[in-house]
Amino acid sequence: MTTTEVIIVGAGPLGLELAVALKRARIDYVQLEAGQIGQAILDWPAMTRWFSSSDRITIAGVPIQSVSQEKCTREEYLAYLRGVVMQFDLDMCTYERVLGITRKDDLFTVTSRTRVGTMCKRAARYVVLTTGGMAAPNRLGVHGEDLPHVSHWMADPHTYFRRRVLIVGGRNSAVEAALRLYHAGTKVSISYRDAAFPDKVKYWLRPEIEYLVKTGRITAYFETVPIVILPEHVELRPVGGGRHMSIPADFVLLMVGYVADMSLFRQVGVELSGVRDVPVYDEQTMQTNVPGLFVAGTATAGTQQSGVRVFLENCHVHVDRIVASMTGNPPPPTPEPVSLPEA
Ligand SMILES: Cc1cc2nc3c(=O)[nH]c(=O)nc-3n(C[C@H](O)[C@H](O)[C@H](O)COP(=O)(O)OP(=O)(O)OC[C@H]3O[C@@H](n4cnc5c(N)ncnc54)[C@H](O)[C@@H]3O)c2cc1C
C-alpha cells in the first residue's frame, strides 16, 4: 500500500485550489475524484451562468477573462478548470470514487474503486474531504416523481420547444430555468409553495420573471405543492387548503435543491450536527473532530436547504487554513463578508 502525506477527496474547484496550494507548499498529495474535475458543474444544464462574478470564483490566483465580460458560463468555467490543472500540472485520479476511510495509529487508509472496478487502498497522514454539497437532487416524495418526463435537471432548452413544462420551485435555479425555457418557445408554468418569489432571487432575474408572470406569459401557481404527477398533468394542492388543480404538463422539472452525501464523514467518525448533517470542525484550521481529517468547500455546510449560504465564493479561505494547519503556521485572517448583491 502506498503512503502519502495528504489524500484529497474530490476535485471540484475547491479541491483543485487545495491541490495547487499543497503543490506550492511541496506537500505530497494524491487527489481522488469520483467523476471528472468540476463534475458538479459538468452536471449543470448547458450554458448555465454562474451567479457569482468571475473574480469571486477564480482559484489559485488565476484570473478568468471572458470575451463577453458577462458572468462565466458552465462551459467557460470548465475550460478554465482544465487550464488551471494544465498550468500547475496537477496529478489526479479521475473516475475513482472513495468508498471508505478508516483511521488507525495516526494513519488513514482510503479505499477507492476505479472506473473499471479495480479496488485501491492508499495510506495518508491527512485526509481532506472536499466532496461538495450537491450529491443528489432533493426528492419531493410525490407519486410519479420517477416518470420519464420528470427530472430534477433541465435538459437542453430545445427539448421543450412548443411543449408545456411545469417547473416546481421558485428560487434562482427554478426562475432561471423558467426564463430560459420561455425564451426557447416553451409554455412555462411554475408551482411554488410560497406566496411570491423569495427575496433571494437575483436582482437581474426578478424584474423579468415578475413581468412575465404579471402579463400572463408565464403562469405561476403560488402557494401550491404537487401531490401527484401523471403522464399528462400534475395535481397541485393549495398550501392553505381548497380545491386541487390539474395542470397539463408534457415535462415536469422539480427544481427544489440538492442533498449532500455525508456517508464518508459518518463512516470515519466525524460528528454531524442537526438535520442538515453539518460536520463539526474547527473554523481556524478546518480540522474535524477526527484528528488529521479536514473538510473544505461546500461540504462544510452538509445539506443546504431553505437557503444556500456556503458557496465556492466564500470557501477560498478554507485552503489557506488547511495549509497553515498542516505546515504549523498561524491561521490566515478571516476575510470580511462580501455584501455584493450577486454574492
Ligand atoms: C445552477 C447552479 C448555479 C450555481 N452558481 C453558483 C455561483 O454563482 N457561485 C457559487 O459560489 N456557487 C454556485 N453554485 C454552487 C457551486 O456548484 C458550488 O459552490 C461549487 O461547485 C462548490 O465547489 P466544491 O469544490 O466545494 O464542491 P463540488 O464542486 O461539489 O465538488 C465536489 C467534488 O467531489 C467529488 N466527490 C464527491 N464524493 C466523492 C467520493 N466519494 N470520492 C471521490 N470524489 C467525490 C464530486 O464528484 C465533485 O467533483 C451553483 C450551483 C448550481 C447548481
Side-chain angles (χ1 to χ4, degrees):
M1 184 161 57
T2 56
T3 301
T4 177
E5 192 69 0
V6 184
I7 291 181
I8 308 173
V9 185
L14 221 285
L16 294 174
E17 189 161 34
L18 177 64
V20 174
L22 292 178
K23 192 159 186 181
R24 281 176 170 152
R26 297 180 193 284
I27 298 174
D28 234 24
Y29 72 88
V30 168
Q31 184 158 29
L32 304 172
E33 163 56 54
Q36 182 49 273
I37 63 160
Q39 183 65 49
I41 296 134
L42 184 60
D43 290 340
W44 294 2
M47 297 304 289
T48 298
R49 276 188 197 281
W50 285 79
F51 296 124
S52 305
S53 45
S54 294
D55 55 322
R56 307 278 307 152
I57 55 170
T58 57
I59 58 171
V62 180
I64 299 176
Q65 277 294 303
S66 74
V67 179
S68 65
Q69 293 84 48
E70 299 260 0
K71 294 185 171 73
C72 248
T73 61
R74 159 191 179 271
E75 288 72 8
E76 285 167 337
Y77 195 71
L78 291 173
Y80 167 77
L81 292 183
R82 296 195 297 274
V84 171
V85 170
M86 288 173 177
Q87 177 175 342
F88 293 96
D89 193 21
L90 302 179
D91 258 347
M92 70 202 51
C93 307
T94 50
Y95 302 105
E96 185 166 335
R97 176 172 290 278
V98 172
L99 301 176
I101 306 174
T102 53
R103 183 170 183 271
K104 196 177 167 212
D105 302 333
D106 291 346
L107 213 57
F108 291 96
T109 302
V110 174
T111 309
S112 55
R113 188 176 53 219
T114 68
R115 189 180 61 82
V116 292
T118 309
M119 298 301 289
C120 305
K121 269 190 197 304
R122 297 179 180 85
R125 221 173 103 191
Y126 301 117
V127 171
V128 187
L129 292 171
T130 67
T131 45
M134 295 174 43
N138 198 13
R139 288 183 61 84
L140 288 179
V142 298
H143 178 82
E145 192 163 2
D146 296 317
L147 286 171
H149 69 304
V150 183
S151 175
H152 293 83
W153 285 106
M154 181 179 91
D156 189 303
H158 187 78
T159 315
Y160 311 108
F161 178 63
R162 297 236 161 142
R163 306 304 304 209
R164 300 161 302 185
V165 175
L166 175 72
I167 296 173
V168 177
R171 292 196 237 140
N172 286 302
S173 294
V175 168
E176 191 178 40
L179 296 177
R180 289 185 67 186
L181 295 194
Y182 171 76
H183 290 298
T186 302
K187 175 98 186 76
V188 179
S189 39
I190 299 177
S191 160
Y192 185 48
R193 64 185 171 186
D194 288 341
F197 294 111
D199 290 346
K200 290 194 181 83
V201 168
K202 301 295 177 188
Y203 63 87
W204 61 91
L205 301 176
R206 177 179 285 285
E208 189 176 14
I209 190 72
E210 288 183 345
Y211 171 77
L212 292 174
V213 168
K214 196 168 133 198
T215 54
R217 289 169 167 90
I218 289 179
T219 310
Y221 300 96
F222 288 115
E223 296 187 291
T224 64
V225 288
I227 49 166
V228 55
I229 303 173
L230 297 163
E232 287 185 299
H233 66 273
V234 179
E235 291 282 316
L236 298 182
R237 174 174 61 77
V239 172
R243 278 182 55 162
H244 292 182
M245 289 170 262
S246 183
I247 310 302
D250 305 308
F251 294 95
V252 181
L253 296 178
L254 305 176
M255 311 202 78
V256 289
Y258 307 91
V259 290
D261 177 0
M262 304 306 281
S263 54
L264 288 177
F265 291 78
R266 203 169 278 116
Q267 192 194 95
V268 69
V270 176
E271 206 180 307
L272 299 173
S273 80
V275 284
R276 295 171 175 204
D277 280 347
V278 180
V280 171
Y281 63 93
D282 177 342
E283 293 251 348
Q284 294 297 304
T285 62
M286 308 309 291
Q287 187 161 206
T288 64
N289 61 294
V290 177
L293 193 122
F294 294 78
V295 57
T298 47
T300 53
T303 288
Q304 302 194 64
Q305 277 173 12
S306 61
V308 180
R309 278 173 211 88
V310 180
F311 301 95
L312 170 61
E313 65 161 84
N314 54 19
C315 289
H316 301 291
V317 69
H318 299 176
V319 167
D320 297 336
R321 288 177 183 158
I322 292 171
V323 175
S325 168
M326 287 179 183
T327 51
N329 285 310
T334 301
E336 290 290 314
V338 172
S339 58
L340 282 173
E342 62 261 52

